[in-house]
Amino acid sequence: MPVLKIYNVNLPLITPFETSFGIQYSRNALIIEYFDDVKAYGESVTEEFPGYSYEDNGTALHIIKNYLINILKETRDPETFMEKAKKIKGHNMAKSAVETMLWDLKAKEEEKSLKEIIKGKKVKIESGISIGILPLEKLMDTIANAIELGYKRIKLKIKPGWDSDVLKEVRKRFGNIPLTVDANQAYEGMEERILTLDKYELLMIEQPLSENNFYGLSKLQKKLTTPICLDESIHGIRDAEMMLEMDAGKIINLKIGRVGGLTESMKIVEFCRKNKIPLWCGGMLETGIGRALNVIIQTREEFNMPGDTSPSNRYFERDIIDKPFIMKNGYIEVPSGPGIGIKPDMGFIEKIGKVVLEEKI
Ligand code: OSB
Ligand code: MG
């Protein structure tokens, strides 16, 4: 009888990651293992602290353990699973953790790569870097190093008081590099401050206002030349439609966990193709397991801007997969094995992780 196991692993980050909502010192991840003749894996993109989203590891584990596991006992088909999971409100990241594991399982049972199933074309994807808030000199060194490594685009985290002056300095030192900023909702009521960033020729300004404030985002977009990119605001296809209809942004950062899985993600991918909306894939400092999925979805040509997918060694001393992701000239190669294409390093996971759920399904 198959068993569902959830491991909690804590991987220290090489550099602490500071955003407008806090500092993260490690990636504390829930890793899902479906254990049978075929083994499948998923990662919950939640964190220990609910700063980016209301979901955290505690709520994700609760939703999986008390509700989603019952649905999993009825079906192993990812789309049917998501249909049935609709009766549970919200909790997209918890749902996505299980649903993406089911996609890995389905692909492996059909002896296919997930890339083939989603009709992905690319053999390598463009890599962008997301750089946290750092002391100015350290930030400058990090940017210089990122350019040297070949990253295709540089994204800086900003917050009120850490924005215009920093950008001025970065443009002075590095000229016309492909540059973006991410505010993680920190400028609510400070729209004027965002307008001062318009002159830095940024590729976009990511999520300046609260996730629900489509009206405010729409008003702000009308005053800006720089396109707004939505991250936290997009919980599914309806939000993508609202963004377009209201002109509350012009670019979408897709995160599979935030929209509740791969099924919903593909609807957004199609929507962006039909409406010519620039699309890229965000990240949540995932381990190699969640990262593999991010790499795979970006093989679709609709992803036409570099994502926040860096190689494993940007984040961790040692990743929890057998072959860590590496970057060459700003590209990450797409794994081609069955399912999500990577093998978790179970010896390492058993050693550093603890089992937080184990149940026959
Ligand atoms: O807003 O895109 C974000 C990391 C954690 C939570 C939110 C965000 C991020 C990043 C890092 O920007 C992306 C990555 O390198 O995985
Ligand atoms: Mg973001």
Side-chain angles (χ1 to χ4, degrees), residues 17 21 24 52 130 155 157 182 184 206 231-232 253 255 282-286 291 308 310 315:
F17 192 71
F21 61 83
Q24 207 174 314
Y52 168 82
S130 174
K155 162 170 142 184
K157 292 290 185 178
D182 186 359
N184 288 107
E206 190 176 334
D231 174 353
E232 286 94 318
N253 163 350
K255 290 182 185 167
M284 295 288 288
L285 313 176
E286 290 93 340
R291 190 162 305 277
D308 276 348
S310 289
Y315 309 92

Side-chain angles (χ1 to χ4, degrees), residues 8 20 26 35 56 72-73 76 84 96 156-157 162 173 207 210 215 227 232 256 276 291 316-317 338:
N8 181 213
S20 63
S26 65
F35 191 92
D56 67 15
L72 205 47
K73 286 172 186 170
R76 302 287 152 82
K84 289 174 183 272
S96 176
L156 305 179
K157 292 290 185 178
W162 183 263
R173 291 267 275 269
Q207 201 68 49
S210 303
Y215 179 54
E232 286 94 318
I256 298 167
K276 300 190 167 56
R291 190 162 305 277
F316 318 115
E317 287 297 340

